[in-house]
């Protein structure tokens, strides 16, 4: 049964229809990746590659929600094989590396994860106006590197940015919960992890319900297939689990948007 | 000369799709073709002249701001279609526009080829590109997909926000200008997820998907054109933008 039916959404049928559209649209996307990569490397032109990367993420997120393991594996592996840390032509931003890093951790590809961590941590010093994705990348990289101090600093900075409402309301709420979870892991305290992960899932569920309702009425919506898989939280859950933290222990409840056991098993 | 430059241009398009030449070279080849075509086919001698005349008449008759705006938008669309015709070496009024019809009482006008594939869509509502064209190019297995923005009057190209996945995370920007090819990509994201079943919704979804696919495959071109009514003439000022 597709995982999406366990998301607890108000209208699961509409959600399935929405992500199925992404599966239908992007069935060609893995095949065009090498061409886009070659063009980026030859011409230092990155817009086409950016578009392909977003399409791949939509495709693999839809596959995650529908638990289509073959598509998920194929797409995720193709994405990582063309990770931006390998590029000789472009210098990826931390926000871009956030995706590559989270995917590598979520799939249990730790050699690729460590390469990406080195790039994230060796970049310029964290600025006050970092994007949420960049701060997530920094926190994840520091945790993989067992640098708890830097992980805590970036998580705290992300919380401050969210409290200052530097992002949209949805993003601020979501990333604040994520940063609290990252901060707990950095402090080696698992007492509230379940709550923070549940808050992340609740925020995402609320966002999808609201945007799906707009979509059902034919109104413009910010909803994307990428809303149906939280790779950043999956990576965080994977790290927490690898540290042996008490986690997801209440039996029946799962963190549906961030099932690291499934993504690692798919590896 | 137009025939020769068109044939040469088509060969370059096939090479662009194969990844052996950069898109900017194809855009330059189109410009060469357009220069010759425009000399032989001034706007007043094409099937687009009635559309341009309508815009001019609408402006002359306009008595309020909304009517002026509608006239200028009409001028922008006529200018875009003329510029696209020149770049393609093909009077679109005799091909794509000849059988185009408005979808019921909507702001969308479109046309499909004999196989039922969408080849033209004009969108009058927000969260869309203004224009979508699909053109088969001899010698290439991929069609050329052109999307664009038609501007009427002297208003500037605006900035829009859009899907975060693309703008904030991949392109490292908060908003994108209407002169940027990636602008079409952000509009296509809204178009592609239209889940409706009406003819307009189906066409809109198809156009959105085609733009994203063409951007991904490398057979995409973005065209921004400004058309301004100046006395009895319509001035056309267009630019082709390639992915960066």
């Amino acid at each position: 049964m597709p995982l999406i039916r366990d998301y607890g959404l108000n209208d699961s049928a509409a959600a399935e229809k929405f992500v199925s559209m992404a599966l239908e649209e992007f069935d060609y996307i893995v095949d065009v990746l090498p061409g886009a990569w070659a063009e980026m490397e030859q011409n230092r032109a990155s817009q086409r590659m950016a578009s392909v990367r977003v399409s791949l993420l939509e495709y693999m997120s839809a596959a995650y929600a529908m638990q289509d393991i073959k598509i998920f594996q194929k797409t995720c592996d193709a994405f990582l094989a063309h990770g931006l840390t390998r590029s000789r032509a472009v210098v990826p931003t931390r926000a871009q590396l956030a995706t590559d890093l989270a995917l590598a951790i979520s799939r249990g590809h730790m050699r690729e994860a460590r390469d990406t961590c080195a790039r994230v941590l060796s970049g310029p010093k964290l600025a006050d106006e970092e994007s949420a994705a960049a701060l997530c990348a920094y926190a994840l990289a520091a945790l993989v590197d067992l640098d708890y101090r830097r992980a805590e600093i970036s998580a705290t900075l992300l919380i401050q940015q969210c409290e200052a409402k530097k992002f949209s309301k949805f993003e601020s709420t979501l990333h604040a919960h994520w940063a609290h979870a990252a901060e707990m892991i950095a402090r080696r305290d698992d007492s509230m992890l379940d709550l923070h992960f549940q808050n992340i899932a609740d925020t995402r569920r609320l966002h999808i319900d609201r945007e799906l309702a707009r979509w059902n009425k034919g109104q413009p919506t910010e909803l994307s297939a990428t809303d149906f898989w939280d790779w950043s939280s999956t990576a965080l859950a994977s790290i927490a689990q690898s540290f042996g933290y008490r986690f997801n222990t209440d039996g029946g409840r799962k963190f549906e948007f961030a099932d690291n056991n499934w993504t690692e098993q798919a590896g | 000369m137009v025939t020769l430059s068109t044939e040469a241009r088509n060969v370059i398009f096939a090479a662009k799709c194969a990844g052996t030449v950069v898109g900017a070279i194809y855009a330059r080849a189109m410009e060469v073709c357009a220069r010759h075509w425009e000399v032989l086919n001034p706007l007043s001698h094409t099937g687009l002249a009635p559309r341009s005349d309508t815009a001019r008449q609408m402006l002359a008759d306009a008595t309020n701001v909304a009517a002026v705006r509608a006239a200028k938008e009409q001028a922008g669309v006529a200018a875009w279609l003329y510029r696209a015709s020149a770049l393609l070496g093909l009077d679109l009024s005799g091909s794509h526009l000849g059988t185009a019809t408005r979808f019921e009482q909507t702001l969308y006008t479109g046309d499909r080829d004999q196989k039922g594939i969408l080849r033209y869509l004009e969108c009058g509502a927000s969260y869309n590109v203004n224009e979508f064209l699909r053109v088969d190019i001899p010698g290439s297995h991929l069609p050329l997909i052109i999307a664009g923005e038609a501007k009427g009057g002297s208003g500037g190209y605006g900035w829009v926000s859009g899907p975060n996945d693309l703008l904030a995370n991949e392109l490292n920007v908060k908003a994108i200008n209407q002169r940027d090819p990636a602008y079409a990509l952000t509009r296509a994201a809204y178009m592609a997820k239209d889940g409706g079943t009406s003819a307009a919704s189906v066409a809109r979804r198809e156009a959105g998907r085609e733009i994203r696919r063409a951007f991904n495959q490398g057979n995409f071109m973005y065209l921004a054109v400004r058309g301004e009514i100046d006395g009895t003439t319509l001035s056309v000022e267009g630019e082709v933008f390639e992915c960066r």
Side-chain angles (χ1 to χ4, degrees):
Chain A
M1 190 177 76
L3 183 63
I4 198 168
R5 293 184 195 163
D6 291 335
Y7 281 4
L9 299 169
N10 288 339
D11 191 344
S12 281
E16 263 187 66
K17 186 182 166 196
F18 186 90
V19 299
S20 296
M21 282 171 62
L23 282 179
E24 184 185 285
E25 181 183 350
F26 294 117
D27 62 352
Y28 67 90
I29 193 65
V30 173
D31 296 334
V32 303
L33 178 58
W37 175 270
E39 187 178 302
M40 177 181 75
E41 291 297 280
Q42 281 164 22
N43 307 328
R44 296 179 187 271
S46 54
Q47 276 193 342
R48 180 178 166 200
M49 188 63 187
S51 172
V52 170
R53 279 167 60 89
V54 172
S55 300
L56 283 163
L57 289 169
E58 288 197 36
Y59 195 47
M60 79 176 83
S61 297
Y64 171 89
M66 299 301 281
Q67 300 271 277
D68 189 324
I69 200 160
K70 279 188 181 166
I71 291 179
F72 182 83
Q73 280 176 335
K74 182 181 163 186
T75 317
C76 202
D77 291 349
F79 189 103
L80 289 170
H82 296 83
L84 291 179
T85 46
R86 298 169 193 261
S87 174
R88 294 176 179 207
V90 301
V91 179
T93 63
R94 277 205 184 103
Q96 288 175 313
L97 292 175
T99 312
D100 299 43
L101 179 56
L103 259 55
I105 297 169
S106 300
R107 293 277 278 132
H109 293 188
M110 292 318 289
R111 196 173 65 81
E112 279 150 339
R114 280 195 299 273
D115 289 347
T116 311
C117 283
R119 289 289 289 269
V120 170
L121 296 173
S122 65
K125 202 178 161 190
L126 285 179
D128 287 342
E129 294 297 317
E130 292 284 358
S131 70
L135 289 167
C136 286
Y138 203 87
L140 283 175
L143 284 172
V144 170
D145 204 35
L146 306 182
D147 187 338
Y148 300 116
R149 188 187 62 84
R150 286 212 279 185
E152 194 173 343
I153 287 171
S154 53
T156 306
L157 190 53
L158 182 52
I159 292 167
Q160 288 167 353
Q161 302 266 43
C162 292
E163 285 172 350
K165 297 186 171 48
K166 292 281 174 75
F167 319 116
S168 72
K169 187 177 174 188
F170 161 61
E171 288 171 309
S172 292
T173 311
L174 185 78
H175 290 304
H177 292 313
W178 189 94
H180 279 299
E183 198 177 46
M184 298 294 293
I185 296 170
R187 289 177 185 162
R188 284 143 287 170
D189 175 359
D190 60 2
S191 62
M192 304 277 278
L193 267 184
D194 270 341
L195 175 68
H196 292 311
F197 273 104
Q198 208 56 58
N199 285 341
I200 293 170
D202 288 344
T203 305
R204 196 167 276 283
R205 192 174 294 115
L206 205 64
H207 167 73
I208 293 175
D209 277 339
R210 187 175 55 241
E211 293 298 322
L212 258 186
R214 290 177 57 82
W215 183 70
N216 267 333
K217 290 180 202 160
Q219 295 170 345
T221 173
E222 297 304 321
L223 194 63
S224 158
T226 56
D227 286 313
F228 291 83
W229 177 38
D230 187 339
W231 54 82
S232 191
S233 298
T234 306
L236 203 56
S238 190
I239 291 170
Q241 201 170 54
S242 72
F243 286 177
Y245 290 161
R246 282 190 305 115
F247 184 71
N248 200 10
T249 50
D250 58 355
R253 297 179 85 184
K254 291 193 295 182
F255 307 121
E256 302 87 355
F257 299 100
D259 186 348
N260 64 297
N261 291 319
W262 189 82
T263 58
E264 285 172 34
Q265 168 214 323
Chain B
M1 193 63 200
V2 170
T3 307
L4 281 176
S5 58
T6 303
E7 281 178 11
R9 186 202 63 194
N10 290 347
V11 171
I12 295 173
F13 180 76
K16 164 184 151 70
C17 292
T20 48
V21 301
V22 295
I25 293 174
Y26 179 65
R28 282 209 294 277
M30 287 188 99
E31 290 287 352
V32 171
C33 180
R35 273 205 303 275
H36 293 293
W37 194 88
E38 282 173 340
V39 170
L40 295 172
N41 303 277
L43 177 56
S44 57
H45 292 184
T46 68
L48 293 165
R51 201 157 182 161
S52 162
D53 293 342
T54 302
R56 216 168 48 240
Q57 194 57 50
M58 283 169 71
L59 188 63
D61 297 343
T63 55
N64 56 45
V65 174
V68 169
R69 185 177 168 189
K72 290 191 169 186
E73 281 177 357
Q74 192 62 229
V77 171
W80 194 92
L81 291 169
Y82 178 69
R83 186 67 186 147
S85 294
L87 289 165
L88 292 165
L90 169 76
D91 185 347
L92 289 168
S93 65
S95 58
H96 294 60
L97 305 175
T99 50
T101 50
R102 177 177 278 209
F103 294 114
E104 294 151 2
Q105 297 304 307
T106 66
L107 296 168
Y108 299 90
T109 300
D111 186 48
R112 293 183 177 276
D113 66 11
Q114 289 178 336
K115 291 179 190 162
I117 297 169
L118 188 76
R119 62 176 187 166
Y120 175 64
L121 187 67
E122 184 181 323
C123 308
S126 52
Y127 292 97
N128 289 299
V129 293
N130 285 155
E131 300 288 332
F132 165 86
L133 271 178
R134 177 194 170 103
V135 185
D136 289 324
I137 303 291
S140 172
H141 67 289
L142 294 174
L144 169 63
I145 301 294
I146 307 178
E149 183 68 12
K151 281 281 171 201
S154 54
Y157 289 97
W159 291 83
V160 296
S161 57
N164 249 352
D165 291 337
L166 179 70
L167 296 191
N169 295 351
E170 285 298 325
L171 300 177
N172 200 28
V173 294
K174 287 182 178 169
I176 196 137
N177 192 272
Q178 287 178 315
R179 293 171 81 248
D180 192 311
Y183 166 77
L185 208 50
T186 67
R187 301 307 95 182
Y190 292 106
M191 295 165 75
K193 59 193 171 194
D194 190 323
T197 53
S198 70
S201 280
V202 171
R204 186 172 177 243
R205 180 166 64 246
E206 199 174 325
R209 286 181 174 189
E210 281 297 308
I211 291 168
R212 297 215 281 190
R213 188 181 184 120
F215 209 106
N216 289 336
Q217 291 181 149
N219 53 318
F220 177 76
M221 197 186 94
Y222 184 65
L223 175 63
V225 176
R226 180 187 303 284
E228 193 153 14
I229 298 166
D230 179 16
T232 57
T233 60
L234 176 70
S235 69
V236 179
E237 183 190 316
E239 290 177 273
V240 175
F241 298 100
E242 279 294 325
C243 304
R244 288 195 297 267

